[in-house]
Coordinates of all heavy atoms in Angstrom, one line a residue:
M259 N 103.1 92.4 103.0 CA 104.1 92.9 102.1 C 105.4 93.1 102.9 O 105.4 93.6 104.0 CB 103.7 94.3 101.6 CG 102.7 94.2 100.5 SD 101.9 95.7 100.1 CE 103.3 96.8 99.9
L260 N 106.5 92.8 102.2 CA 107.8 93.0 102.8 C 108.1 94.5 102.9 O 107.9 95.3 102.0 CB 108.9 92.3 102.1 CG 108.8 90.8 102.1 CD1 109.9 90.2 101.2 CD2 108.9 90.3 103.5
A261 N 108.7 94.9 104.0 CA 108.9 96.4 104.3 C 110.1 96.5 105.2 O 110.5 95.6 105.9 CB 107.7 97.0 104.9
T262 N 110.7 97.7 105.1 CA 111.8 98.1 106.0 C 111.5 99.4 106.6 O 110.9 100.3 105.9 CB 113.2 98.1 105.2 OG1 114.2 98.2 106.2 CG2 113.3 99.1 104.2
A263 N 111.8 99.6 107.8 CA 111.3 100.8 108.6 C 112.2 102.0 108.5 O 113.4 101.9 108.6 CB 111.1 100.4 110.0
E264 N 111.6 103.1 108.3 CA 112.2 104.4 108.6 C 111.6 105.0 109.8 O 110.4 105.2 109.9 CB 112.1 105.3 107.4 CG 112.7 106.7 107.6 CD 112.4 107.7 106.4 OE1 111.6 107.3 105.5 OE2 112.9 108.8 106.5
R265 N 112.4 105.4 110.8 CA 111.9 106.0 112.0 C 111.9 107.5 111.8 O 112.9 108.1 111.5 CB 112.8 105.6 113.2 CG 113.1 104.2 113.3 CD 112.0 103.4 114.0 NE 112.3 102.0 114.0 CZ 111.4 101.0 114.0 NH1 110.1 101.3 114.1 NH2 111.7 99.8 114.1
T266 N 110.8 108.1 112.1 CA 110.8 109.6 112.0 C 110.2 110.2 113.3 O 109.4 109.5 114.0 CB 109.9 110.0 110.8 OG1 108.6 109.7 111.0 CG2 110.4 109.4 109.5
R267 N 110.4 111.4 113.5 CA 109.8 112.2 114.6 C 109.2 113.4 114.0 O 109.8 114.5 114.1 CB 110.9 112.5 115.7 CG 111.4 111.3 116.4 CD 112.5 111.8 117.4 NE 113.1 110.7 118.1 CZ 112.7 110.1 119.2 NH1 111.6 110.5 119.8 NH2 113.3 109.1 119.7
P268 N 108.0 113.3 113.5 CA 107.3 114.4 112.8 C 107.1 115.6 113.7 O 106.9 116.7 113.2 CB 106.0 113.8 112.2 CG 105.8 112.6 113.0 CD 107.2 112.1 113.5
D269 N 107.0 115.4 115.0 CA 106.7 116.5 115.9 C 108.0 117.1 116.5 O 107.9 117.8 117.5 CB 105.7 116.1 117.0 CG 104.4 115.6 116.4 OD1 104.0 116.2 115.4 OD2 103.8 114.7 116.9
G270 N 109.1 116.7 116.0 CA 110.4 117.2 116.5 C 111.1 116.2 117.3 O 110.7 115.1 117.5
A271 N 112.3 116.6 117.8 CA 113.2 115.6 118.4 C 112.6 114.9 119.6 O 113.0 113.8 119.9 CB 114.5 116.4 118.7
L272 N 111.8 115.6 120.3 CA 111.2 115.0 121.5 C 109.9 114.4 121.3 O 109.3 113.8 122.3 CB 111.1 116.1 122.6 CG 112.4 116.8 123.0 CD1 112.2 117.8 124.1 CD2 113.4 115.7 123.5
G273 N 109.4 114.4 120.1 CA 108.1 113.9 119.8 C 108.1 112.4 119.7 O 109.2 111.7 119.8
P274 N 106.9 111.8 119.5 CA 106.9 110.3 119.4 C 107.5 109.8 118.1 O 107.5 110.5 117.1 CB 105.4 110.0 119.5 CG 104.7 111.3 119.0 CD 105.6 112.4 119.4
V275 N 108.0 108.6 118.2 CA 108.6 108.0 117.0 C 107.5 107.4 116.1 O 106.6 106.7 116.6 CB 109.6 106.9 117.3 CG1 110.1 106.2 116.1 CG2 110.8 107.5 118.1
K276 N 107.5 107.8 114.9 CA 106.6 107.1 113.9 C 107.4 106.3 112.9 O 108.5 106.6 112.6 CB 105.8 108.2 113.2 CG 105.1 109.2 114.1 CD 103.6 109.1 114.1 CE 103.0 110.2 114.9 NZ 101.6 109.9 115.2
T277 N 106.8 105.3 112.4 CA 107.4 104.4 111.5 C 106.8 104.6 110.1 O 105.6 104.5 110.0 CB 107.3 103.0 111.9 OG1 107.8 102.8 113.2 CG2 107.9 102.0 110.9
I278 N 107.7 104.8 109.1 CA 107.3 104.8 107.7 C 107.8 103.5 107.1 O 109.0 103.3 107.2 CB 107.8 106.0 107.0 CG1 107.2 107.3 107.6 CG2 107.4 106.0 105.5 CD1 107.8 108.6 107.0
W279 N 106.9 102.7 106.6 CA 107.4 101.5 105.9 C 107.7 101.7 104.5 O 106.8 102.2 103.7 CB 106.3 100.4 106.1 CG 106.1 100.0 107.5 CD1 105.0 100.3 108.2 CD2 106.9 99.2 108.3 NE1 105.1 99.7 109.5 CE2 106.3 99.1 109.6 CE3 108.2 98.6 108.1 CZ2 106.9 98.3 110.6 CZ3 108.7 97.9 109.1 CH2 108.1 97.8 110.4
H280 N 108.9 101.4 104.1 CA 109.3 101.5 102.7 C 109.4 100.0 102.1 O 109.7 99.1 102.9 CB 110.6 102.2 102.5 CG 110.6 103.6 102.9 ND1 110.3 104.6 102.0 CD2 110.9 104.2 104.1 CE1 110.4 105.8 102.6 NE2 110.8 105.6 103.9
V281 N 109.3 99.9 100.8 CA 109.5 98.6 100.2 C 110.9 98.5 99.7 O 111.4 99.3 99.0 CB 108.5 98.5 99.0 CG1 108.7 97.2 98.3 CG2 107.1 98.8 99.4
P282 N 111.6 97.4 100.2 CA 113.0 97.2 99.9 C 113.1 96.8 98.4 O 112.3 96.0 97.9 CB 113.4 96.1 100.8 CG 112.2 95.4 101.2 CD 111.1 96.4 101.2
V283 N 114.2 97.3 97.8 CA 114.5 96.9 96.4 C 114.8 95.4 96.3 O 114.4 94.7 95.3 CB 115.6 97.8 95.8 CG1 116.0 97.3 94.5 CG2 115.1 99.2 95.7
D284 N 115.6 94.9 97.2 CA 116.1 93.6 97.1 C 116.1 92.9 98.4 O 117.1 92.7 99.1 CB 117.6 93.7 96.6 CG 118.2 92.3 96.3 OD1 117.4 91.3 96.2 OD2 119.4 92.2 96.1
P285 N 114.9 92.5 98.8 CA 114.7 91.9 100.2 C 115.6 90.6 100.4 O 116.0 90.3 101.5 CB 113.2 91.6 100.3 CG 112.7 91.6 98.9 CD 113.6 92.6 98.1
Q286 N 115.9 89.9 99.3 CA 116.7 88.7 99.5 C 118.1 89.0 100.0 O 118.8 88.1 100.5 CB 116.8 87.9 98.2 CG 115.5 87.1 97.8 CD 114.4 88.0 97.2 OE1 114.7 89.1 96.7 NE2 113.2 87.6 97.3
S287 N 118.5 90.2 99.7 CA 119.9 90.5 100.1 C 120.0 90.8 101.6 O 121.1 91.0 102.1 CB 120.4 91.7 99.3 OG 119.8 92.9 99.7
C288 N 118.9 90.9 102.3 CA 118.9 91.3 103.7 C 119.4 90.1 104.5 O 118.9 89.0 104.5 CB 117.5 91.7 104.2 SG 117.5 92.2 105.9
D289 N 120.5 90.3 105.3 CA 121.0 89.3 106.2 C 120.6 89.6 107.7 O 121.1 88.9 108.6 CB 122.5 89.1 106.1 CG 123.2 90.4 106.5 OD1 122.6 91.3 107.0 OD2 124.4 90.4 106.3
G290 N 119.7 90.5 107.9 CA 119.3 90.9 109.2 C 120.2 91.8 110.0 O 119.9 92.2 111.1
D291 N 121.3 92.1 109.4 CA 122.3 92.9 110.1 C 122.9 93.9 109.1 O 124.1 94.1 109.1 CB 123.3 92.0 110.8 CG 124.3 92.8 111.7 OD1 123.8 93.8 112.2 OD2 125.4 92.4 111.9
C292 N 122.1 94.4 108.2 CA 122.7 95.3 107.2 C 122.9 96.7 107.7 O 122.3 97.1 108.7 CB 121.7 95.4 106.0 SG 120.9 93.9 105.6
D293 N 123.8 97.4 107.0 CA 124.0 98.8 107.3 C 123.0 99.7 106.7 O 122.7 100.8 107.1 CB 125.4 99.3 106.9 CG 126.5 98.6 107.8 OD1 126.2 98.3 108.9 OD2 127.6 98.4 107.3
A294 N 122.4 99.2 105.6 CA 121.5 100.0 104.8 C 120.6 99.1 103.9 O 121.0 98.0 103.6 CB 122.2 101.1 104.0
H295 N 119.4 99.6 103.6 CA 118.6 98.9 102.6 C 118.2 99.9 101.5 O 117.8 101.0 101.8 CB 117.3 98.5 103.3 CG 117.4 97.3 104.1 ND1 116.4 96.9 105.0 CD2 118.4 96.3 104.2 CE1 116.8 95.8 105.6 NE2 118.0 95.4 105.1
R296 N 118.3 99.5 100.3 CA 117.8 100.3 99.2 C 116.3 100.1 99.1 O 115.8 99.1 99.4 CB 118.5 99.9 97.9 CG 120.0 100.1 98.0 CD 120.6 100.2 96.6 NE 120.0 101.2 95.8 CZ 119.7 101.0 94.5 NH1 120.0 99.9 93.9 NH2 119.0 102.0 93.9
I297 N 115.7 101.2 98.9 CA 114.2 101.2 98.8 C 113.7 101.8 97.5 O 114.4 102.5 96.8 CB 113.6 102.1 100.0 CG1 114.3 103.4 100.1 CG2 113.8 101.3 101.3 CD1 113.8 104.3 101.2
L298 N 112.4 101.4 97.2 CA 111.9 101.7 95.9 C 111.8 103.2 95.6 O 111.9 103.6 94.4 CB 110.5 101.1 95.7 CG 110.4 99.5 95.7 CD1 109.0 99.1 95.5 CD2 111.3 99.0 94.6
C299 N 111.5 104.0 96.6 CA 111.3 105.4 96.3 C 112.5 106.2 96.3 O 112.4 107.5 96.1 CB 110.3 105.9 97.4 SG 111.0 105.9 99.0
D300 N 113.7 105.7 96.4 CA 114.9 106.5 96.5 C 116.0 105.7 95.8 O 116.2 104.6 96.0 CB 115.2 106.6 98.0 CG 116.3 107.6 98.3 OD1 117.3 107.6 97.5 OD2 116.3 108.3 99.3
D301 N 116.6 106.5 94.9 CA 117.7 105.8 94.1 C 119.0 106.0 94.7 O 120.1 105.7 94.1 CB 117.7 106.3 92.6 CG 118.1 107.8 92.5 OD1 118.1 108.4 93.6 OD2 118.3 108.2 91.4
G302 N 119.1 106.5 95.9 CA 120.3 106.6 96.7 C 120.7 105.4 97.5 O 120.2 104.3 97.1
P303 N 121.5 105.6 98.5 CA 121.9 104.4 99.3 C 120.8 103.8 100.1 O 121.0 102.7 100.6 CB 123.0 105.0 100.1 CG 122.8 106.4 100.2 CD 122.1 106.8 98.9
G304 N 119.7 104.5 100.3 CA 118.6 103.8 101.0 C 118.6 104.2 102.5 O 119.2 105.3 102.9
I305 N 118.0 103.4 103.3 CA 117.8 103.7 104.7 C 119.0 103.1 105.5 O 119.3 101.9 105.3 CB 116.5 103.1 105.2 CG1 115.3 103.7 104.5 CG2 116.3 103.2 106.7 CD1 114.0 103.1 104.9
G306 N 119.6 103.9 106.3 CA 120.6 103.4 107.2 C 120.1 102.8 108.4 O 119.0 103.1 108.9
I307 N 120.8 101.8 108.9 CA 120.4 101.0 110.1 C 118.9 100.7 110.1 O 118.0 101.1 110.9 CB 120.6 101.9 111.4 CG1 121.9 102.6 111.3 CG2 120.6 100.9 112.6 CD1 123.2 101.7 111.2
P308 N 118.5 99.9 109.1 CA 117.1 99.7 108.8 C 116.4 98.7 109.7 O 115.2 98.6 109.7 CB 117.1 99.1 107.4 CG 118.4 98.5 107.2 CD 119.4 99.2 108.1
G309 N 117.1 97.9 110.5 CA 116.5 97.0 111.4 C 115.8 95.8 110.7 O 114.8 95.3 111.2
G310 N 116.3 95.4 109.6 CA 115.8 94.2 109.0 C 114.6 94.4 108.2 O 114.1 95.5 108.0
I311 N 114.1 93.3 107.7 CA 112.9 93.4 106.8 C 111.7 92.6 107.5 O 111.9 91.5 108.0 CB 113.2 92.8 105.4 CG1 114.2 93.8 104.7 CG2 111.9 92.6 104.6 CD1 114.5 93.4 103.3
R312 N 110.6 93.2 107.5 CA 109.4 92.6 108.1 C 108.3 92.4 107.1 O 108.3 93.1 106.1 CB 108.9 93.6 109.2 CG 109.9 94.2 110.1 CD 110.0 93.4 111.3 NE 110.7 94.3 112.3 CZ 110.1 95.2 113.1 NH1 108.8 95.3 113.0 NH2 110.8 95.9 113.9
D313 N 107.4 91.5 107.5 CA 106.2 91.4 106.7 C 105.1 92.2 107.3 O 104.7 91.9 108.5 CB 105.8 89.9 106.7 CG 104.8 89.6 105.6 OD1 104.5 90.5 104.8 OD2 104.3 88.5 105.6
V314 N 104.7 93.3 106.7 CA 103.8 94.3 107.2 C 102.5 94.2 106.4 O 102.5 94.2 105.2 CB 104.5 95.7 107.1 CG1 103.5 96.7 107.7 CG2 105.8 95.7 107.9
P315 N 101.4 94.2 107.1 CA 100.1 94.2 106.4 C 99.9 95.5 105.6 O 100.3 96.6 106.0 CB 99.1 94.1 107.5 CG 99.7 94.5 108.8 CD 101.2 94.2 108.6
R316 N 99.3 95.4 104.4 CA 99.0 96.6 103.6 C 98.1 97.5 104.3 O 98.2 98.7 104.2 CB 98.4 96.1 102.3 CG 97.9 97.2 101.4 CD 99.0 98.0 100.8 NE 98.5 99.1 100.0 CZ 98.0 100.2 100.4 NH1 98.0 100.4 101.7 NH2 97.5 101.1 99.6
D317 N 97.2 97.0 105.1 CA 96.2 97.8 105.8 C 96.7 98.0 107.2 O 96.8 97.1 108.0 CB 94.9 97.0 105.8 CG 93.8 97.8 106.6 OD1 94.0 98.9 107.0 OD2 92.6 97.3 106.6
L318 N 97.0 99.3 107.5 CA 97.6 99.6 108.8 C 96.5 100.2 109.7 O 96.9 100.9 110.7 CB 98.8 100.6 108.7 CG 100.0 100.0 107.9 CD1 101.0 101.1 107.7 CD2 100.6 98.8 108.7
T319 N 95.3 99.9 109.5 CA 94.2 100.4 110.3 C 94.5 100.0 111.8 O 94.8 98.9 112.1 CB 92.8 99.8 109.9 OG1 92.6 100.2 108.5 CG2 91.7 100.4 110.8
G320 N 94.4 101.0 112.7 CA 94.6 100.7 114.1 C 96.1 100.8 114.5 O 96.4 100.8 115.7
R321 N 96.9 101.1 113.5 CA 98.4 101.2 113.8 C 98.8 102.7 113.5 O 99.4 103.0 112.5 CB 99.2 100.2 113.0 CG 98.8 98.8 113.4 CD 99.3 97.8 112.5 NE 100.8 97.7 112.5 CZ 101.4 96.5 112.1 NH1 100.8 95.5 111.6 NH2 102.7 96.5 112.1
S322 N 98.3 103.6 114.4 CA 98.4 105.0 114.0 C 99.8 105.5 114.0 O 100.0 106.6 113.4 CB 97.6 105.8 115.0 OG 98.1 105.6 116.3
D323 N 100.7 104.8 114.6 CA 102.1 105.3 114.5 C 102.9 104.8 113.3 O 104.1 104.9 113.2 CB 102.9 104.9 115.8 CG 102.3 105.7 117.0 OD1 101.7 106.7 116.8 OD2 102.5 105.2 118.1
E324 N 102.2 104.1 112.4 CA 102.8 103.5 111.3 C 102.1 103.9 110.0 O 100.9 104.0 110.0 CB 102.8 102.0 111.4 CG 103.5 101.5 112.7 CD 103.4 99.9 112.8 OE1 103.3 99.3 111.7 OE2 103.3 99.5 113.9
R325 N 102.9 104.1 109.0 CA 102.2 104.3 107.7 C 103.1 103.8 106.6 O 104.3 103.7 106.8 CB 101.8 105.7 107.5 CG 103.0 106.7 107.3 CD 102.4 108.1 107.2 NE 103.5 109.1 107.0 CZ 104.0 109.4 105.9 NH1 103.6 108.9 104.7 NH2 105.0 110.3 105.8
W326 N 102.5 103.5 105.4 CA 103.3 103.1 104.3 C 103.8 104.4 103.6 O 103.1 105.4 103.5 CB 102.5 102.3 103.3 CG 102.3 100.9 103.7 CD1 101.3 100.3 104.4 CD2 103.2 99.8 103.5 NE1 101.5 99.0 104.6 CE2 102.7 98.7 104.1 CE3 104.5 99.8 102.9 CZ2 103.4 97.5 104.1 CZ3 105.1 98.6 102.8 CH2 104.6 97.4 103.4
C327 N 105.0 104.3 103.0 CA 105.5 105.3 102.1 C 104.7 105.4 100.8 O 104.7 104.5 100.1 CB 107.0 105.0 101.9 SG 107.7 106.0 100.5
P328 N 104.1 106.6 100.6 CA 103.2 106.6 99.4 C 104.0 106.4 98.1 O 103.5 105.6 97.2 CB 102.6 108.0 99.4 CG 102.7 108.4 100.9 CD 103.9 107.7 101.4
P329 N 105.2 106.9 97.9 CA 105.9 106.6 96.6 C 106.2 105.1 96.5 O 106.1 104.6 95.3 CB 107.2 107.5 96.7 CG 106.8 108.6 97.6 CD 105.9 108.0 98.6
C330 N 106.6 104.5 97.5 CA 106.8 103.0 97.5 C 105.6 102.3 97.0 O 105.6 101.4 96.2 CB 107.3 102.5 98.8 SG 109.1 102.7 99.1
L331 N 104.5 102.6 97.7 CA 103.2 102.0 97.3 C 102.8 102.2 95.9 O 102.3 101.3 95.2 CB 102.1 102.5 98.2 CG 102.0 101.9 99.6 CD1 100.7 102.5 100.3 CD2 102.0 100.4 99.6
A332 N 103.1 103.4 95.4 CA 102.8 103.7 94.0 C 103.6 102.9 93.0 O 103.0 102.4 92.0 CB 103.0 105.2 93.7
V333 N 104.8 102.6 93.4 CA 105.6 101.7 92.5 C 105.0 100.3 92.5 O 104.9 99.7 91.5 CB 107.1 101.7 93.0 CG1 107.9 100.7 92.3 CG2 107.7 103.1 92.9
I334 N 104.7 99.8 93.7 CA 104.1 98.5 93.8 C 102.8 98.4 93.0 O 102.5 97.4 92.3 CB 103.8 98.1 95.3 CG1 105.2 97.9 96.0 CG2 103.0 96.8 95.4 CD1 105.9 96.7 95.6
E335 N 101.9 99.4 93.2 CA 100.5 99.2 92.7 C 100.4 99.7 91.3 O 99.5 99.2 90.6 CB 99.6 100.1 93.7 CG 99.6 99.4 95.0 CD 98.8 100.2 96.0 OE1 98.3 101.3 95.7 OE2 98.6 99.7 97.2
N336 N 101.3 100.5 90.8 CA 101.2 101.0 89.4 C 102.2 100.3 88.5 O 102.3 100.5 87.3 CB 101.4 102.5 89.4 CG 100.4 103.2 90.2 OD1 99.2 102.7 90.3 ND2 100.7 104.3 90.7
G337 N 103.1 99.5 89.1 CA 104.2 98.9 88.3 C 105.1 99.9 87.7 O 105.7 99.6 86.7
A338 N 105.3 101.0 88.4 CA 106.2 102.1 87.8 C 107.6 101.6 88.0 O 107.9 100.7 88.7 CB 106.0 103.3 88.6
S339 N 108.5 102.3 87.2 CA 109.9 102.0 87.3 C 110.4 102.2 88.8 O 110.1 103.1 89.4 CB 110.7 102.9 86.4 OG 112.0 102.9 86.8
R340 N 111.1 101.2 89.2 CA 111.6 101.3 90.6 C 112.7 102.3 90.7 O 113.2 102.6 91.8 CB 112.1 99.9 91.1 CG 113.3 99.4 90.4 CD 113.6 98.0 90.9 NE 114.8 97.4 90.3 CZ 116.0 97.6 90.7 NH1 116.3 98.4 91.7 NH2 117.0 97.0 90.1
H341 N 113.2 102.8 89.6 CA 114.2 103.8 89.7 C 113.7 105.3 89.6 O 114.5 106.2 89.5 CB 115.3 103.6 88.7 CG 116.1 102.3 88.9 ND1 116.8 102.2 90.1 CD2 116.2 101.2 88.3 CE1 117.4 101.0 90.1 NE2 117.0 100.4 89.0
L342 N 112.4 105.4 89.7 CA 111.9 106.8 89.7 C 112.5 107.5 91.0 O 112.2 107.2 92.1 CB 110.4 106.8 89.9 CG 109.6 106.7 88.6 CD1 108.1 106.8 88.9 CD2 110.0 107.8 87.6
P343 N 113.3 108.6 90.7 CA 113.9 109.3 91.9 C 112.9 110.3 92.5 O 113.2 111.5 92.5 CB 115.1 109.9 91.2 CG 114.7 110.2 89.8 CD 113.7 109.1 89.4
L344 N 111.9 109.8 93.1 CA 110.8 110.7 93.5 C 111.3 111.7 94.5 O 110.9 112.8 94.5 CB 109.6 109.8 94.1 CG 109.0 108.9 93.0 CD1 107.9 108.1 93.7 CD2 108.3 109.8 91.9
R345 N 112.0 111.2 95.5 CA 112.5 112.1 96.5 C 113.5 113.1 96.1 O 113.7 114.1 96.8 CB 113.1 111.3 97.6 CG 112.1 110.5 98.5 CD 112.9 109.8 99.6 NE 112.1 109.5 100.7 CZ 112.6 109.0 101.8 NH1 113.8 108.8 101.9 NH2 111.8 108.8 102.8
R346 N 114.1 112.8 95.0 CA 115.2 113.7 94.6 C 114.9 114.6 93.5 O 115.8 115.2 92.9 CB 116.4 112.8 94.2 CG 117.0 112.1 95.5 CD 117.9 111.0 95.1 NE 118.2 110.2 96.3 CZ 119.2 110.5 97.1 NH1 120.0 111.5 96.8 NH2 119.5 109.8 98.2
K347 N 113.6 114.7 93.2 CA 113.2 115.5 92.1 C 113.7 116.9 92.3 O 113.6 117.5 93.4 CB 111.7 115.5 92.0 CG 111.1 115.8 90.6 CD 109.6 115.7 90.6 CE 109.1 114.3 90.5 NZ 107.7 114.2 90.5
G348 N 114.4 117.5 91.3 CA 114.9 118.8 91.4 C 116.2 118.9 92.1 O 116.8 120.0 92.1
L349 N 116.7 117.8 92.6 CA 118.0 117.9 93.2 C 119.1 117.4 92.2 O 118.8 116.5 91.4 CB 118.1 117.0 94.4 CG 117.1 117.3 95.5 CD1 117.3 116.3 96.7 CD2 117.4 118.7 96.0
T350 N 120.2 118.0 92.2 CA 121.3 117.5 91.4 C 122.3 116.7 92.3 O 122.4 117.0 93.4 CB 122.1 118.6 90.7 OG1 122.5 119.5 91.8 CG2 121.2 119.4 89.7
R351 N 122.8 115.7 91.7 CA 123.7 114.8 92.5 C 125.1 114.7 91.8 O 125.1 114.8 90.5 CB 123.1 113.4 92.6 CG 121.8 113.4 93.3 CD 121.5 112.1 93.9 NE 121.3 111.0 93.0 CZ 121.9 109.8 93.1 NH1 122.7 109.6 94.0 NH2 121.7 108.9 92.2
Ligands
ZN1 ZN1 109.5 104.7 100.3
ZN2 ZN1 118.8 94.0 106.0

């Protein structure tokens, strides 16, 4: 599955980097040097400095530092609207 990476440090600034894979809204628009990618789980500007789009296996067994974004997967697997603002629920913009 095509994915774009969000780097996080769940254990704080000095902790290990973990990768969360999000599903890009428009992978064809990636030129490999984008400033941001829009992703299915967020109706905002998306991920900054996304590092391109990769083909990532759905099953990440054995890749403990990586995981799929659950809201992105829900959109793919349930066919939900890609504009569901899951992350922004309760926020006004
Ligand atoms: Zn996501
Ligand atoms: Zn790109």
Side-chain angles (χ1 to χ4, degrees):
M259 280 167 53
L260 294 177
T262 190
E264 176 185 5
R265 312 274 177 209
T266 65
R267 292 180 186 271
D269 299 325
L272 299 179
V275 175
K276 307 249 183 192
T277 299
I278 299 174
W279 294 109
H280 294 273
V281 180
V283 171
D284 185 14
Q286 283 79 21
S287 74
C288 182
D289 63 6
D291 189 27
C292 317
D293 291 331
H295 284 163
R296 297 199 55 220
I297 52 179
L298 291 183
C299 64
D300 190 321
D301 66 350
I305 295 179
I307 320 297
I311 291 186
R312 313 265 197 85
D313 194 7
V314 177
R316 171 69 182 82
D317 181 359
L318 294 175
T319 302
R321 298 167 67 156
S322 60
D323 290 340
E324 303 175 30
R325 67 183 179 88
W326 282 97
C327 165
C330 278
L331 281 187
V333 173
I334 292 287
E335 293 176 355
N336 301 328
S339 163
R340 69 184 177 88
H341 289 301
L342 275 182
L344 296 174
R345 282 183 159 187
R346 291 165 188 272
K347 208 177 277 181
L349 299 178
T350 54
R351 299 207 292 135

